[in-house]
Amino acid sequence: MPSTAIEESYGGDSGTEITLLLRKGAAGLYEGPARDVRDGAVLGVGELGNNQIRLRVKDVGPGLAGIATQVAAAKGRNAALIVSYLPPAETAAIAAISPAQRPPLLNLASAMAATSGDVFNLASDEIDSATEGVKAAGPGGHKKVSALVPADLSQSDSTRLGNAIWNSGNTFMGLGRYNASDQAADILTKNRPLIQSAEIVVILGDTPEIGAVASAVRSAAIPAQALVGTNRWPQSAYAVSAATGAFVATDDRQSSGLIAERYQRHFNHPLTTYGAYGYDAMAIASGLIRSQGPQAITTANLMSKVGFRGTTGLFRFNAAGMVERKMVINTIDGGKLKVASQLAQSF
């Protein structure tokens, strides 16, 4: 019987509980990112838990009905932390529960703003990557930055991108949108003022159209203009000549390589970013409990300014519960990512 067909518990039987909330697929098994998160967490608890952690994996059925029940049950079992990879509505439902009625939430899915406190978002997205790329392209700030984004980028993400650019000490000139059917000439025509006014152009997206967007920017031939990509760019975009020299900030892949072989051997599929997030969630919990005891998972400790070092690199949580990472800065050279600067060792 597959392990995902039964209720799962890992680690020390008398250890501090960490509750992992996931959703099974249509076949009744954890699939895709949910499977990877589970597998990473299982590996992490086995390697780092020292029998002081007990990981309990719980399936949250479709809809919101099961959320309150699962959270209350975790609270009743004195779980020290809820880790989740769930759709936005379910994550928001957990976040809306008073911290007095639930353990802290470590969210591994898309970032969720805390509505009641004690919500910590571990996953980085392309806006985080874009922000770090802009900082690398204009390390002193005071640059004019424009953005070209997919037509379906949400308004909330558009606002967050603009705010992040302003907060990095640069001037945000605005954003233009491109469609999947647009050619480079169309993109340049629609966004010429934005492109021509910028010292840095950042391009978001994860489809092959990235190549056409980069070509549109380069065709404007603005002297010394820097191009910034994101960790969502498909590898095919690296081969486009217009992308050469673009800055791309990524998670610390060298660190995740430290567990990749063991992950592959245990679970018979390659380590993904989600698997690494699952492992790092257990690293946070295990590190705090090993060093300070069962009551160590507190808001103050989770928001340590020193941060945490995991398989996804060095990171910490800010006052809003969003992750801040020391990312690797790469440039595109010869169709590949080439590390441009050494990774910072501390905040």
Side-chain angles (χ1 to χ4, degrees):
M1 190 178 217
S3 62
T4 48
I6 59 175
E7 183 173 308
E8 302 172 62
S9 181
Y10 303 90
D13 289 339
S14 60
T16 302
E17 179 178 326
I18 308 299
T19 303
L20 177 59
L21 299 183
L22 302 170
R23 171 164 297 167
K24 292 180 179 178
L29 304 174
Y30 296 119
E31 301 170 351
R35 175 204 63 182
D36 296 347
V37 165
R38 189 283 310 268
D39 291 349
V42 170
L43 184 64
V45 110
E47 294 188 344
L48 307 172
N50 196 31
N51 291 321
Q52 294 177 268
I53 297 287
R54 182 184 186 186
L55 174 66
R56 193 186 293 264
V57 184
K58 291 289 189 177
D59 171 42
V60 177
L64 300 176
I67 291 294
T69 299
Q70 290 284 13
V71 171
K75 177 73 172 176
R77 295 191 301 266
N78 294 316
L81 181 69
I82 290 175
V83 179
S84 76
Y85 178 83
L86 292 168
E90 282 79 348
T91 305
I94 301 174
I97 297 172
S98 166
Q101 302 300 319
R102 62 162 169 80
L105 171 65
L106 184 58
N107 172 36
L108 309 189
S110 299
M112 179 64 57
T115 54
S116 62
D118 272 7
V119 177
F120 302 90
N121 297 280
L122 183 60
S124 297
D125 61 16
E126 65 174 337
I127 295 177
D128 299 318
S129 173
T131 304
E132 293 303 309
V134 167
K135 291 177 183 177
H142 307 294
K143 300 290 186 181
K144 296 177 180 178
V145 183
S146 294
L148 297 176
V149 305
D152 60 356
L153 186 74
S154 70
Q155 187 56 52
S156 61
D157 281 344
S158 300
T159 300
R160 188 158 67 92
L161 174 63
N163 289 340
I165 291 172
W166 280 110
N167 292 338
S168 67
N170 296 290
T171 299
F172 183 48
M173 306 301 291
L175 61 80
R177 298 179 182 269
Y178 63 88
N179 297 298
S181 59
D182 287 348
Q183 301 298 310
D186 301 323
I187 296 167
L188 178 60
T189 298
K190 290 193 298 184
N191 298 286
R192 189 184 298 273
L194 274 178
I195 294 172
Q196 291 181 332
S197 66
E199 296 168 273
I200 300 173
V201 177
V202 57
I203 302 173
L204 273 62
D206 60 358
T207 63
E209 287 74 39
I210 290 294
V213 183
S215 296
V217 173
R218 294 300 195 197
S219 67
I222 306 301
Q225 186 180 66
L227 189 65
V228 172
T230 79
N231 55 3
R232 294 283 301 279
W233 275 23
Q235 195 161 0
S236 61
Y238 303 161
V240 177
S241 60
T244 299
F247 292 87
V248 180
T250 62
D251 287 349
D252 180 9
R253 296 173 179 173
Q254 183 177 0
S255 295
S256 63
L258 298 175
I259 69 164
E261 186 276 332
R262 299 194 301 278
Y263 184 95
Q264 173 76 49
R265 176 158 40 88
H266 277 283
F267 304 111
N268 200 32
H269 56 86
L271 177 69
T272 64
T273 299
Y274 292 105
Y277 286 153
Y279 190 97
D280 282 356
M282 296 304 105
I284 294 170
S286 298
L288 289 174
I289 289 171
R290 285 201 316 268
S291 63
Q292 300 182 45
Q295 307 304 317
I297 301 180
T298 64
T299 300
N301 284 340
L302 288 170
M303 291 178 59
S304 165
K305 293 186 180 299
V306 175
F308 305 90
R309 184 173 296 280
T311 63
T312 54
L314 182 65
F315 60 88
R316 66 183 179 185
F317 301 106
N318 63 24
M322 300 297 178
V323 71
E324 297 177 349
R325 292 187 180 275
K326 290 296 184 181
M327 304 183 86
V328 177
I329 303 300
N330 309 272
T331 56
I332 296 176
D333 183 9
K336 298 179 180 179
L337 291 181
K338 181 179 179 180
V339 176
S341 62
Q342 293 298 319
L343 189 68
Q345 297 303 306
S346 64
F347 283 100

